[in-house]
């Protein structure tokens, strides 16, 4: 019997569960009072162990057929089994019997959340909060509903309410930070997390999140200090090493970044991921030879990792070994047909071989994939420009600007596309957002065109030359 599963539980729960498994689960008769059964059932609900869970619920229903608490746990069993209709019907019956029961209200919130009805879920969670019990968990659930609906500021409000209680889960610091990043209020997160680690100096998650927000705000030295504090608390905190490396990289301290990742090798549950991160670090800094060494180490650990194979292919392409790059990309796609870097590698290999149709096909698969990133979109933009596909480039860059408003990269390339397709009115509107030096590099003929010369006055002043 694996007793590690009780790490987060007290001795009373552990002994009750082990006793239940030695007796009831072996077909022996055993009696438990209602509180003991609730603890046993709650344990199995939390660890999602369905066979003993339903046995415990059946025992509870035999011993206490009128217990609302056992019926509520039956409803949660239905939720675990994706039978939300049965859960809802049972809970609505209990609500009719006692509309003031906040445990029923909370459970209805859980069911409506599972059903995707955030408005009703929040309504029932607020009812459940009326008795002032477990407010941290309730406020966190409300915050998560707002988070799912991308209502960032409301989510932040309820995360902060949860943190002010005594029953919050420290893990929600991660989602709080992500919400602040989505809302564009990293400065607020910085202030809160500074206060948080002051009140909880041994919170590794608090220091970790403070490090992340410092890096977001380009406070890189403070980020390094925060990540080191997190690692002083827990030297096996693998993710903190990875983020520490990024903080060093942001300062162009590539050697320090590599050292931070190397430190992670002693504790990482997956050394292959660390070796891949080292390879990607050197890829980003145009050291393909070193990147290949680490990517091969990653493949020694995880031979069927599609992302590593794809990264290896991109490095081999940079080293002008397109045959090896093609082989690596094909192997990656055989493992994961939608691996974005593998699709990118295939497109670039065929482009190098002047097979524009094949390259276009792979770029098409890439940019329509849900896993396509802004990084991949930039490569597609360059591909379209290189092949003078200006109409498609204009449309694609316009769509990209809807996602990344005023992004100077897309603005510059859409300006070039507008110039080549004689759309001068649109070109006029785009000029204030371009990179003048890049525009002059990719479209020097604009400076020789008398019709366009007046528009050049709209270029940002600091880089006109």
């Amino acid at each position: 019997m694996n007793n590690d599963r009780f790490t987060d539980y007290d001795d009373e729960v552990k002994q009750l569960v082990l006793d239940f498994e030695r007796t009831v689960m072996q077909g022996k008769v055993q009696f438990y009072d209602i509180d003991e059964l609730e603890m046993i059932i709650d344990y199995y609900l939390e660890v999602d162990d369905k066979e003993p869970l339903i046995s415990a619920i059946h025992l509870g229903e035999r011993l206490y057929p009128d217990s609302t608490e056992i019926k509520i746990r039956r409803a949660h069993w239905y939720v675990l089994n994706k039978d939300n209709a049965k859960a809802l019907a049972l809970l609505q019956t209990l609500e009719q019997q006692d509309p003031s029961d906040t445990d029923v209200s909370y459970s209805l919130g859980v069911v409506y959340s599972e059903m995707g009805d955030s408005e009703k879920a929040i309504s029932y969670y607020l009812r459940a909060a009326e008795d002032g019990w477990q407010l941290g968990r309730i406020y966190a659930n409300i915050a998560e509903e707002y988070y799912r609906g991308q209502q960032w500021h409301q989510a932040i409000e309820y995360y902060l309410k949860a943190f002010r209680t005594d029953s919050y889960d420290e893990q929600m610091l991660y989602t709080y930070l992500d919400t602040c990043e989505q809302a564009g209020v990293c400065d607020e997160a910085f202030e809160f997390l500074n206060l948080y680690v002051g009140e909880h100096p041994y919170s590794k998650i608090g220091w970790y999140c403070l490090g992340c927000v410092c890096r977001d705000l380009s406070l890189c030295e403070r980020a390094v200090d925060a990540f080191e504090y997190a690692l002083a608390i827990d030297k096996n905190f693998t993710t903190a090493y990875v983020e520490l490396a990024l903080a060093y990289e942001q300062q162009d301290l590539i050697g320090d970044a590599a050292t931070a990742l190397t430190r992670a090798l002693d504790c990482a549950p997956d050394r292959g991921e660390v070796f891949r991160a080292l390879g990607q670090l050197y890829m980003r800094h145009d050291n393909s030879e070193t990147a290949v060494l680490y990517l091969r180490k990653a493949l020694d650990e995880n031979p069927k990792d599609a992302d590593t194979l794809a990264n290896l292919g991109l490095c081999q392409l940079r080293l002008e070994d397109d045959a090896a790059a093609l082989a690596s990309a094909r192997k990656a796609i055989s493992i994961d047909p939608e691996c974005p870097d593998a699709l990118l590698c295939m497109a670039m290999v065929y482009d190098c071989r002047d097979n524009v149709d094949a390259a276009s096909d792979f770029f098409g698969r890439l940019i329509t994939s849900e896993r396509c990133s802004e990084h991949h979109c930039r490569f597609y933009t360059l591909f379209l420009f290189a092949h003078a596909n200006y109409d498609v480039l204009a449309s694609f860059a316009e769509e990209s600007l809807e996602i990344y408003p005023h992004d100077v990269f897309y603005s510059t390339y859409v300006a070039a596309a507008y110039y080549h397709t004689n759309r001068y009115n649109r070109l006029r509107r785009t000029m204030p957002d371009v990179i003048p030096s890049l525009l002059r590099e990719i479209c020097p003929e604009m400076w020789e065109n008398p019709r366009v010369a007046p528009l050049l006055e709209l270029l940002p002043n600091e880089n006109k030359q």
Side-chain angles (χ1 to χ4, degrees):
M1 188 64 65
N2 178 16
N3 290 337
D4 290 344
R5 59 194 171 120
F6 298 108
T7 301
D8 297 325
Y9 296 89
D10 61 30
D11 287 341
E12 183 180 10
V13 172
K14 176 180 176 180
Q15 292 307 317
L16 282 169
V17 169
L18 291 177
D19 182 69
F20 178 82
E21 291 171 353
R22 282 193 300 265
T23 57
V24 177
M25 292 299 293
Q26 301 300 321
K28 300 174 185 177
V29 176
Q30 180 65 292
F31 176 82
Y32 295 96
D33 66 34
I34 186 69
D35 291 335
E36 291 173 334
L37 265 175
E38 287 175 16
M39 284 191 280
I40 293 168
I41 294 170
D42 287 345
Y43 168 80
Y44 289 123
L45 279 169
E46 289 166 11
V47 301
D48 192 10
D49 194 345
K50 294 181 180 178
E51 183 181 352
L53 169 59
I54 193 60
S55 295
I57 290 173
H58 283 153
L59 178 60
E61 290 169 338
R62 289 197 304 272
L63 294 176
Y64 307 100
D66 297 323
S67 168
T68 297
E69 295 305 321
I70 297 296
K71 291 176 181 177
I72 288 173
R73 285 159 175 79
R74 161 69 75 171
H76 285 282
W77 157 260
Y78 288 141
V79 171
L80 278 181
N81 285 279
K82 307 299 181 185
D83 199 342
N84 295 323
K86 283 186 178 179
L88 184 60
L90 174 55
L91 290 168
Q92 285 175 334
T93 299
L94 295 176
E95 182 187 26
Q96 290 172 359
Q97 294 170 0
D98 185 359
S100 65
D101 190 322
T102 53
D103 288 338
V104 173
S105 296
Y106 177 83
S107 299
L108 280 164
V110 171
V111 174
Y112 279 117
S113 176
E114 287 290 321
M115 295 171 68
D117 191 336
S118 289
E119 185 175 346
K120 284 188 177 179
I122 291 170
S123 173
Y124 276 104
Y125 285 141
L126 289 172
R127 288 193 205 177
E130 291 175 0
D131 68 358
W133 179 251
Q134 291 293 317
L135 289 178
R137 181 175 63 179
I138 293 171
Y139 288 150
N141 286 1
I142 293 173
E144 287 170 8
E145 294 304 318
Y146 282 125
Y147 180 91
R148 290 190 193 101
Q150 299 185 6
Q151 294 175 272
W152 311 122
H153 294 286
Q154 293 93 326
I156 290 169
E157 176 188 352
Y158 276 92
Y159 278 127
L160 292 176
K161 283 187 175 185
F163 288 128
R164 295 187 192 107
T165 72
D166 294 327
S167 59
Y168 70 89
D169 181 353
E170 191 182 37
Q171 295 289 322
M172 73 182 177
L173 283 169
Y174 293 123
T175 45
Y176 163 74
L177 175 59
D178 183 53
T179 307
C180 289
E181 290 172 342
Q182 297 287 353
V185 292
C186 288
D187 51 342
E188 294 181 19
F190 173 74
E191 291 180 12
F192 170 77
L193 289 165
N194 257 324
L195 292 172
Y196 186 89
V197 296
E199 296 172 0
H200 306 87
Y202 297 104
S203 168
K204 69 175 184 179
I205 298 176
W207 284 110
Y208 171 87
C209 290
L210 178 60
C212 290
V213 77
C214 284
R215 203 184 61 238
D216 289 343
L217 295 170
S218 297
L219 302 172
C220 297
E221 291 182 5
R222 293 198 63 175
V224 167
D225 289 341
F227 290 130
E228 289 289 11
Y229 273 117
L231 289 165
I233 296 166
D234 180 2
K235 67 179 181 180
N236 296 323
F237 194 176
T238 306
T239 312
Y241 289 112
V242 175
E243 297 298 333
L244 174 62
L246 291 174
Y248 278 126
E249 186 180 1
Q250 199 166 341
Q251 301 173 79
D252 290 325
L253 300 173
I254 310 308
D256 290 332
T259 298
L261 289 171
T262 303
R263 288 166 61 190
L265 289 170
D266 292 333
C267 63
D270 186 342
R271 288 165 55 88
E273 289 186 2
V274 179
F275 283 128
R276 187 177 72 205
L278 279 160
Q280 291 169 334
L281 170 67
Y282 286 107
M283 282 179 69
R284 288 192 292 272
H285 294 274
D286 298 322
N287 187 342
S288 296
E289 293 88 348
T290 304
V292 165
L293 294 176
Y294 281 111
L295 292 170
R296 292 198 183 283
K297 284 178 179 286
L299 287 172
D300 288 340
E301 300 283 338
N302 301 321
K304 294 187 177 181
D305 187 274
D307 291 325
T308 302
L309 284 162
N311 289 162
L312 177 62
L314 290 169
C315 286
Q316 290 165 330
L317 189 59
R318 288 182 185 178
L319 295 170
E320 300 182 355
D321 190 347
D322 64 322
L326 186 62
S328 295
R330 281 177 171 165
K331 188 172 181 180
I333 288 174
S334 71
I335 297 167
D336 178 2
E338 300 303 317
C339 177
D341 280 346
L343 295 173
L344 174 63
C345 187
M346 293 291 289
M348 293 176 68
V349 167
Y350 282 119
D351 190 26
C352 288
R353 294 183 172 187
D354 295 323
N355 190 338
V356 178
D357 289 340
S360 295
D361 288 343
F362 278 104
F363 268 122
R365 285 175 58 182
L366 173 60
I367 64 169
T368 56
S369 167
E370 292 182 356
R371 294 158 63 186
C372 179
S373 71
E374 195 265 343
H375 164 76
H376 301 117
C377 291
R378 289 188 177 228
F379 277 100
Y380 184 52
T381 299
L382 296 173
F383 171 76
L384 293 172
F385 183 80
H387 293 283
N389 198 342
Y390 300 124
D391 286 320
V392 176
L393 172 59
S395 297
F396 182 72
E398 286 169 353
E399 292 173 4
S400 299
L401 284 168
E402 291 179 7
I403 303 172
Y404 313 104
H406 305 292
D407 184 291
V408 291
F409 174 84
Y410 295 111
S411 294
T412 302
Y413 276 93
V414 80
Y418 289 153
Y419 172 76
H420 284 292
T421 53
N422 301 315
R423 287 180 268 189
Y424 296 133
N425 285 332
R426 293 191 179 188
L427 175 59
R428 177 187 296 276
R429 292 195 296 271
T430 306
M431 292 294 270
D433 290 329
V434 306
I435 307 172
S437 58
L438 177 58
L439 185 61
R440 189 160 198 160
E441 176 187 336
I442 66 174
C443 208
E445 57 270 40
M446 286 180 63
W447 273 256
E448 307 299 326
N449 188 324
R451 288 191 61 188
V452 177
L455 300 182
L456 300 178
E457 296 301 316
L458 300 174
L459 290 171
N461 290 330
E462 64 270 23
N463 288 316
K464 268 192 179 181
Q465 303 306 314

